Amino acid sequence: MAKPRVLSGIQPTGELHLGNYLGAIRNWVEIQQDYDSFLFMADLHAITVPQDPSQLAANTYQVAAMYLAAGIDLDYATIFVQSHIPAHSELAWLFSCITPLNWLQDMVQFKEKAIKQAENVGTGLLTYPVLQAADILLYEPDKVPVGEDQKQHLELTRDIAARLNYLYGQPDSPILKLPEPMIRAEGARVMSLSDGTKKMSKSDPSDLSRINLLDPPDQIQYKLKRCKTDSVRGLWFDDSERPECNNLLGLYMILSNQTKAAVAVECQEMGWGQFKPLLTDTVIAALKPIQDRYHEIVGEPGYLDSVLKQGREKAEAIAIPTLNKVKAALGYSVRA
Ligand code: AQP
């Protein structure tokens, strides 16, 4: 029997950090043997905020290499670049013509980001959930791993598929399958090193706010030495009163493969002077195998190109028939 399919992606908007790894890639690695995984670099989404054209392709390759370095196995997963497959943009256009404007205006992320960008709000910021719906529905996945922040967009994806089925399909033979969300287990939200109430993010202007997966040991040590803490004696998990302490203990717990209870006991009497070197060593040791593998991958001439070419072929073999199915339903003559 065919394995259920999952689809997920990351925008190549900068260097990947511990949040991207613990919140996304590591989960994909954990489930990959049970699913047919389609993992992509969302480079069309990346330009909803300005990107340096001289960096975009390099960042995209870096994310692909990082997927592999972190343990994504090509025996189970297909890795591809979104912009290599024109069907994404084409389906997004078809969907945008059946998506009511107010559905997009109601998206919480749009409202939040639009306020920040004031008069410079790009149309892409409003319409990118439609592209996201196309990204997903092209592959007709059974499940889509999403964090809390993306749940509303997956709902929109389901609404768009349902609307297409309603407008152009038959009740007993829907055109597109509706995917289910795969909500992550809790504990994987990594917060900024400068502010424990904000998530760690590629686009934070301060590099000191995050640990990048490729940071060398001395930089990791420097960042953790400088990171924000508090002056309370003893360390314990406390999300509301001690967000920085909670975040750093959480990182230590995950990266040292311990339970919360074990970490709580180990660290209860510690001060920052004792805990920070322990966390530093743990982070460095956890990232070393990923970094070593990353350098091997990028050092092998032509390897990534061949992975992405193969990925494009496998992805297109699914995406193009889905696009054609939708086009036929809308009345287009589809090229054989
Ligand atoms: N801090 C985080 N903790 C846990 N998970 C995180 N993810 C991102 N930051 C954290 C997860 O990583 C994936 C990458 O998502 P994305 O690059 O498409 O966009 P994002 O969520 O907006 O990631 P960033 O790093 O914050 O990028 P910018 O700054 O460019 O917006 C997603 O699965 C996300 O949940």
Side-chain angles (χ1 to χ4, degrees):
M1 215 177 78
K3 287 183 186 173
R5 188 178 295 153
V6 293
L7 176 113
S8 211
I10 291 184
Q11 303 178 68
T13 41
E15 278 209 44
L16 296 193
H17 50 73
L18 269 181
N20 300 130
Y21 174 57
L22 298 176
I25 306 174
R26 206 177 68 135
N27 302 312
W28 305 345
V29 173
E30 273 169 17
I31 63 165
Q32 65 182 343
Q33 297 192 14
D34 300 325
Y35 291 91
D36 185 18
S37 303
F38 281 75
L39 307 173
F40 67 106
M41 280 65 71
D43 57 347
L44 294 174
H45 285 286
I47 64 163
T48 50
V49 292
Q51 298 298 318
D52 177 353
S54 71
Q55 289 303 310
L56 186 58
N59 285 343
T60 305
Y61 270 61
Q62 193 188 87
V63 174
M66 207 45 102
Y67 286 179
L68 294 166
I72 294 298
D73 184 335
L74 295 172
D75 285 341
Y76 306 116
T78 301
I79 298 178
F80 64 97
V81 181
Q82 182 188 29
S83 67
H84 288 181
I85 302 186
H88 286 249
S89 314
E90 195 173 348
L91 187 60
W93 171 251
L94 302 178
F95 282 169
S96 70
C97 294
I98 63 158
T99 304
L101 183 59
N102 66 319
W103 287 10
L104 301 179
Q105 287 166 331
D106 282 347
M107 293 292 112
V108 173
Q109 274 204 354
F110 171 71
K111 289 189 201 159
E112 286 175 0
K113 290 194 178 173
I115 289 171
K116 280 192 211 152
Q117 295 188 14
E119 273 148 43
N120 277 326
V121 183
T123 311
L125 199 59
L126 177 71
T127 58
Y128 93 86
V130 177
L131 177 59
Q132 199 172 10
D135 299 333
I136 295 170
L137 294 170
L138 271 179
Y139 299 91
E140 300 200 76
D142 298 277
K143 301 232 161 124
V144 183
V146 280
E148 275 303 311
D149 54 340
Q150 287 297 326
K151 258 165 66 181
Q152 196 187 25
H153 290 166
L154 188 65
E155 262 317 305
L156 179 83
T157 296
R158 289 169 55 88
D159 287 347
I160 290 174
R163 188 166 166 88
L164 181 89
N165 290 340
Y166 172 73
L167 292 175
Y168 297 99
Q170 301 301 325
D172 50 351
S173 65
I175 305 162
L176 293 175
K177 186 165 93 184
L178 272 58
E180 296 295 330
M182 182 191 268
I183 304 294
R184 278 196 295 265
E186 56 97 31
R189 191 167 161 85
V190 180
M191 310 312 280
S192 159
L193 297 183
S194 327
D195 178 349
T197 62
K198 271 173 47 189
K199 77 165 191 155
M200 188 176 281
S201 174
K202 294 184 227 98
S203 55
D204 190 302
S206 169
D207 193 52
L208 289 178
S209 69
R210 59 187 161 258
I211 306 252
N212 299 312
L213 298 179
L214 291 175
D215 279 346
D218 58 344
Q219 211 157 347
I220 294 172
Q221 186 182 35
Y222 180 73
K223 286 180 176 177
L224 288 176
K225 218 176 206 169
R226 295 276 310 265
C227 76
K228 186 173 175 202
T229 53
D230 55 32
S231 52
V232 182
R233 183 75 206 163
L235 307 179
W236 59 86
F237 289 97
D238 183 345
D239 196 13
S240 55
E241 298 293 321
R242 304 185 68 188
E244 287 80 21
C245 182
N246 194 68
N247 185 43
L248 297 174
L249 286 178
L251 282 180
Y252 176 59
M253 174 187 82
I254 297 174
L255 295 174
S256 64
N257 288 315
Q258 295 191 68
T259 62
K260 195 167 181 175
V263 169
V265 171
E266 184 187 355
C267 302
Q268 61 188 346
E269 306 282 321
M270 284 187 190
W272 292 112
Q274 196 184 352
F275 177 72
K276 281 190 172 185
L278 180 66
L279 177 62
T280 302
D281 290 345
T282 306
V283 173
I284 292 171
L287 293 186
K288 184 170 187 317
I290 298 175
Q291 296 180 346
D292 289 349
R293 179 89 186 105
Y294 175 88
H295 293 299
E296 269 170 42
I297 290 165
V298 296
E300 202 176 317
Y303 176 65
L304 268 184
D305 278 325
S306 75
V307 168
L308 297 179
K309 179 170 178 289
Q310 200 187 24
R312 188 190 73 214
E313 286 165 3
K314 281 179 71 181
E316 271 194 333
I318 295 171
I320 292 177
T322 312
L323 173 67
N324 285 344
K325 196 164 60 163
V326 174
K327 286 176 77 175
L330 290 174
Y332 288 95
S333 67
V334 176
R335 274 184 298 149

